[in-house]
Amino acid sequence: MAAGLKTRVRSNWANAVLVCAKCSKKLDGGFGPKGKASLGKALRKQLHLKKGRKAAAGVVDVKCLGVCPRGAVTVVNGAASREWLLVPAGADLDTVAHALGLDPR
């Protein structure tokens, strides 16, 4: 191992969710109460998650996941990476959170 690198950094995340930023940008919002927020921001707000590694779960916007559905955003739960979700614009955020294993209850 190279000198000066940390071997581990702790986080409080129970789950890590990857949200395609390219899909979100194509929709130009589409989520939240007014329909103007991106999926990542709307999920964080709905679940009362903070940003960074001290949050209970991580919702991370990534460049492109390569699926590119029309009118939807590609989302991957890191713990269940074999099944990807295609979330249409205006979808109920509680339903999305439940499907990702991020139950607010």
Side-chain angles (χ1 to χ4, degrees), residues 39 43 46-47 85 87-88 90-105:
L39 180 58
L43 266 178
Q46 181 78 13
L47 299 172
L85 291 177
V87 181
D92 180 47
L93 294 175
D94 286 333
T95 305
V96 173
H98 179 71
L100 290 170
L102 301 173
D103 285 325
R105 301 168 197 100

Side-chain angles (χ1 to χ4, degrees), residues 30-104:
F31 298 95
K34 295 183 180 179
K36 295 186 178 187
S38 68
L39 180 58
K41 285 184 180 183
L43 266 178
R44 275 189 221 100
K45 188 169 186 175
Q46 181 78 13
L47 299 172
H48 306 289
L49 293 174
K50 298 176 184 175
K51 282 188 175 180
R53 58 189 185 89
K54 294 194 179 188
V59 178
V60 181
D61 291 321
V62 296
K63 272 191 171 184
C64 182
L65 293 171
V67 176
C68 303
R70 289 194 179 166
V73 178
T74 306
V75 182
V76 180
N77 182 350
S81 59
R82 292 182 61 99
E83 294 184 19
W84 295 16
L85 291 177
L86 302 178
V87 181
D92 180 47
L93 294 175
D94 286 333
T95 305
V96 173
H98 179 71
L100 290 170
L102 301 173
D103 285 325

